[in-house]
Structures are given as structure tokens and as C-alpha cells.
């Protein structure tokens, strides 16, 4: 009996297994219009055919200038909705539930003429960590600009619901705009958004929840710790998460880092190295959590669920390597597999 392949329900979202495809940017919008194309169709549908319980579509920007690159997805226009509907409708044919990660890259927007951020503090990145090799210095969003950005998240959520998504994830990790506002290392504002570093996140959460069906769960991805020297630690992020839970978050997707090059404290980058963060979020917040980070071993993913460390596991690079990761994991753990009949002669 595999716990990894047992169903799980949160609010109105019932998953056939505990496996999540982690959101991973494809940088493949060739028309630069923010709409998914044939690449995204093949990429995501193959993982649905491959048995994934929940696919969370890659970081999708709420504004054109909020993309990491101009090759990223977006939900800033109603004209983009039909392109997502086509993809979502196909994914659901395979008993897969579908979420979308909406976000704003903030000061990490590589193709913006001048990125915006919580403050005008530039981000330090290694050239190999960017698509284009460098980042321009940001300008701080005005107070009015912050409030307008909150509404952009709300409008993107409305479009996601019209497109048929089953859940929405807010990207509050890895040094993007929501993370920038909550981190003392990137927020030196003197207005209310600097006096209360959780305020912007709370306002985004409440705005998004106001347009979501009452029984649709809202997921939030957070960096549990920062690795830069002077970066925040786990108790700080948990205090932030408590505010976000009260504002309306139903599930936390627990990652770490992404705010800049590591200092003295470095990520372990060993299998399951972020699971302890997820475990502590679950304990302190009494909410379901998604664990992520080098969980591509089916046995490790199984142990993470069976040991009660997390309700769900997100597989990233493992699914880039193998679209049928879930089917292969099921076969390895249970010695049987429920593959599509078209593949039954190959996956047994």
C-alpha cells in the first residue's frame, strides 16, 4: 500500500495521488504575447498522461513587465484566456487537476527596460542564474503602483478561474516581488508597506481570494529561509506565513532561497534537503504543505508522505527528465501501474 498513490482532498480539490508537478518556467512563448503555445500543450499534457495528480503551471505574470523574460507566460489580458482553456480542458481528460502559479518577477524581470521592486535595491545574481546574463537596477514601486499591482493579481486570478483552473498558487518565494516585499533584505520602504512587511502579501491574498470560489484552495509558495548573509530564518518565515494563513492561504508550498547568491549559509542540495522546512510549516501552521526539492527518488517521495512530513510532494527536475515519472514511480512502489491503454504494452 503506497501513501504516495493514495487520494488527497483539500476543500473542493480531490487529487488521485499526492504527486505535484512543480511549476517550472519554459521560456518558450515565441510570440512574446504571454499565451501558451504548442510547446506548452505537449509539455503539460504529456505529464498528465504520465499520471501526475496535480500540475501547477509555470510562473505566469500578472503584467507584461512582470515577466522574468519576454518568453514567459502571462495572464494580463482576456485575450489570453482561450489559450489556457484549450490546455486546461485537455489536461483534465486524464484525471489530472490543474493549477497555475501567478506572480510578478519584480526586480528579477530580466527583459524589462527598468524592473520595479519593493525598493530600488538591486539584486545580486550570478550570470549563469539568469537567461540573459544581467539584470538592470530596479525602481521602487510607488505606493499607488503597489495598490495597482494588487489589483493586477486579482484580475489574473479572475482570468485563471474563467480558464478553468482548479487552484491558484501565489509565488512568494525565490526573490520575486511578493518575496521582495516580505524580506528585510530587499524592502527598505518608509510607507506602510515598509512598516509592515507582510501587508503587500496579505492584500494580494485577500484580493485573489475575493474572486475565487469559496471552496477553491489557494496555495502559496514561500522561501522558508534566505541564504544570503543577513537573510531571514525559519521562525521569521513562519511568522509571515501565520499572517498569510489568516488572510486566506490554504496550502503552503515550502521552498527556500532565491533572493541572491548564498553567503555563509548555503543550501545543502541533498535529496530531501527542504523537507524539514515543510515539516515545520505543517507543525506550526496546522495546514497542508507541499514539500519540494530533490524528491525525484520514488522511495524518498513515499517516505515524505508516509512519515507525515507533508501532504503532497512536488517533483521538478525529475519530471523534466521523465514525463512519465508518476507512472514509473507507481510501478516501482506498488509493482503495478494504471497506465493509459495505449502504453500498456510498454509500462507494465
Amino acid at each position: 500500500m503506497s501513501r504516495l498513490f493514495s487520494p488527497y482532498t483539500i476543500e473542493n480539490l480531490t487529487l488521485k495521488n499526492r504527486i505535484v508537478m512543480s511549476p517550472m518556467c519554459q521560456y518558450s512563448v515565441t510570440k512574446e504575447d504571454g499565451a501558451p503555445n504548442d510547446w506548452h500543450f505537449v509539455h503539460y499534457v504529456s505529464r498528465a498522461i504520465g499520471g501526475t495528480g496535480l500540475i501547477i503551471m509555470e510562473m505566469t505574470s500578472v503584467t507584461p513587465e512582470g515577466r522574468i523574460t519576454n518568453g514567459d507566460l502571462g495572464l494580463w489580458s482576456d485575450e489570453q484566456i482561450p489559450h489556457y482553456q484549450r490546455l486546461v480542458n485537455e489536461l483534465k481528460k486524464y484525471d489530472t487537476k490543474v493549477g497555475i502559479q501567478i506572480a510578478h518577477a519584480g526586480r528579477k524581470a530580466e527583459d524589462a527596460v527598468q524592473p520595479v521592486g519593493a525598493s530600488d535595491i538591486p539584486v545580486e545574481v550570478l550570470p549563469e542564474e539568469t537567461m540573459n546574463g544581467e539584470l538592470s537596477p530596479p525602481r521602487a514601486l510607488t505606493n499607488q503602483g503597489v495598490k495597482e499591482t494588487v489589483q493586477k493579481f486579482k484580475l489574473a486570478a479572475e482570468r485563471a478561474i474563467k480558464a478553468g483552473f482548479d487552484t491558484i498558487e501565489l509565488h512568494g518565494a525565490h526573490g520575486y516581488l511578493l518575496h521582495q516585499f516580505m524580506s528585510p533584505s530587499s524592502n527598505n520602504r518608509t510607507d506602510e508597506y515598509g512598516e509592515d512587511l507582510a501587508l503587500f502579501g496579505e492584500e494580494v491574498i485577500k484580493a485573489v481570494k475575493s474572486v475565487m470560489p469559496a471552496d477553491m484552495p489557494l496555495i502559496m509558495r514561500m522561501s522558508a529561509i534566505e541564504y544570503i548573509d543577513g537573510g531571514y530564518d525559519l521562525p521569521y518565515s513562519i511568522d509571515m506565513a501565520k499572517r498569510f494563513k489568516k488572510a486566506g492561504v490554504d496550502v503552503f508550498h515550502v521552498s527556500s532561497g532565491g533572493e541572491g547568491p548564498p553567503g555563509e549559509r548555503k543550501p545543502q542540495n541533498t535529496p530531501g534537503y527542504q523537507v524539514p522546512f515543510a515539516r515545520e510549516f505543517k507543525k506550526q501552521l496546522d495546514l497542508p504543505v507541499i514539500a519540494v526539492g530533490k524528491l525525484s527518488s520514488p522511495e524518498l517521495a513515499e517516505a515524505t508522505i508516509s512519515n507525515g512530513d507533508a501532504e503532497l510532494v512536488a517533483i521538478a527536475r525529475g519530471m523534466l527528465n521523465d514525463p512519465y515519472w508518476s507512472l514509473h514511480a507507481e510501478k516501482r512502489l506498488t509493482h503495478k501501474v494504471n497506465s493509459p491503454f495505449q502504453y500498456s504494452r510498454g509500462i507494465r
Side-chain angles (χ1 to χ4, degrees):
M1 187 67 183
S2 168
R3 290 291 304 279
L4 186 64
F5 287 92
S6 63
Y8 184 72
T9 298
I10 173 71
E11 301 293 340
N12 74 337
L13 183 68
T14 297
L15 308 178
K16 63 183 177 182
N17 58 45
R18 309 296 188 95
I19 301 167
V20 178
M21 179 182 178
S22 189
M24 294 172 283
C25 289
Q26 295 297 290
Y27 308 107
S28 296
V29 182
T30 52
K31 293 183 179 179
E32 300 188 354
D33 59 358
N37 54 34
D38 286 347
W39 172 267
H40 302 90
F41 190 88
V42 172
H43 173 65
Y44 288 112
V45 173
S46 62
R47 275 72 184 175
I49 293 171
T52 307
L54 171 64
I55 290 174
I56 303 180
M57 204 168 292
E58 65 202 77
M59 180 171 164
T60 302
S61 183
V62 301
T63 68
E65 64 276 9
R67 292 172 288 180
I68 301 173
T69 76
N70 291 343
D72 292 336
L73 293 179
L75 259 178
W76 61 76
S77 167
D78 289 349
E79 294 179 358
Q80 295 160 334
I81 295 173
H83 299 275
Y84 288 99
Q85 286 174 325
R86 170 179 175 256
L87 179 49
V88 170
N89 290 341
E90 188 67 23
L91 289 168
K92 291 186 177 183
K93 292 180 182 178
Y94 302 99
D95 195 23
T96 292
K97 297 302 171 67
V98 193
I100 188 166
Q101 185 188 75
I102 58 174
H104 190 299
R107 65 179 186 172
K108 293 180 77 174
E110 298 178 25
D111 286 341
V113 175
Q114 184 178 30
V116 297
S119 305
D120 60 1
I121 303 171
V123 60
E124 295 183 39
V125 294
L126 300 173
E128 61 267 24
E129 293 177 336
T130 69
M131 292 296 293
N132 299 326
E134 60 182 348
L135 294 173
S136 301
R139 64 172 176 84
L141 278 167
T142 64
N143 187 276
Q144 180 61 30
V146 176
K147 298 181 187 304
E148 290 172 356
T149 302
V150 171
Q151 293 306 305
K152 296 292 186 181
F153 273 91
K154 178 180 178 179
L155 292 170
E158 287 183 324
R159 295 184 184 105
I161 293 161
K162 289 177 182 178
F165 285 96
D166 298 301
T167 184
I168 292 170
E169 176 172 287
L170 297 174
H171 200 345
H174 302 165
Y176 299 115
L177 190 64
L178 279 163
H179 185 179
Q180 290 164 31
F181 269 86
M182 71 180 76
S183 173
S185 69
S186 52
N187 185 346
N188 63 3
R189 302 177 70 93
T190 57
D191 62 2
E192 65 264 39
Y193 296 103
E195 294 171 355
D196 180 357
L197 272 60
L199 181 60
F200 177 61
E202 283 184 333
E203 290 185 350
V204 169
I205 292 162
K206 290 176 180 178
V208 168
K209 286 288 278 193
S210 73
V211 298
M212 292 173 64
D215 59 353
M216 177 186 284
L218 176 64
I219 306 169
M220 186 171 189
R221 195 173 219 193
M222 287 186 65
S223 287
I225 65 171
E226 293 182 329
Y227 295 108
I228 59 171
D229 288 332
Y232 67 66
D233 56 12
L234 187 57
Y236 180 90
S237 66
I238 287 176
D239 284 344
M240 280 277 171
K242 288 177 180 177
R243 297 273 301 272
F244 298 153
K245 172 185 175 179
K246 188 175 180 180
V249 172
D250 301 292
V251 182
F252 283 101
H253 189 170
V254 187
S255 187
S256 64
E259 71 291 336
E264 184 175 341
R265 178 166 60 186
K266 293 179 172 57
Q268 295 182 36
N269 289 325
T270 53
Y273 74 104
Q274 294 180 146
V275 171
F277 303 144
R279 183 191 308 128
E280 192 64 17
F281 263 65
K282 178 180 176 179
K283 176 183 176 182
Q284 296 292 333
L285 295 160
D286 193 28
L287 281 181
V289 297
I290 305 171
V292 65
K294 290 187 175 289
L295 295 173
S296 296
S297 161
E299 289 81 5
L300 180 55
E302 175 71 42
T304 300
I305 301 299
S306 297
N307 292 338
D309 295 323
E311 281 69 31
L312 302 168
V313 292
I315 309 299
R317 290 171 177 82
M319 284 204 186
L320 290 182
N321 180 59
D322 180 5
Y324 310 107
W325 186 94
S326 300
L327 292 179
H328 292 144
E330 184 180 22
K331 179 181 178 181
R332 187 154 150 182
L333 294 172
T334 70
H335 306 292
K336 60 182 180 180
V337 63
N338 298 308
S339 66
F341 78 90
Q342 297 95 331
Y343 292 169
S344 60
R345 287 172 292 177
I347 304 175
R348 298 181 182 178

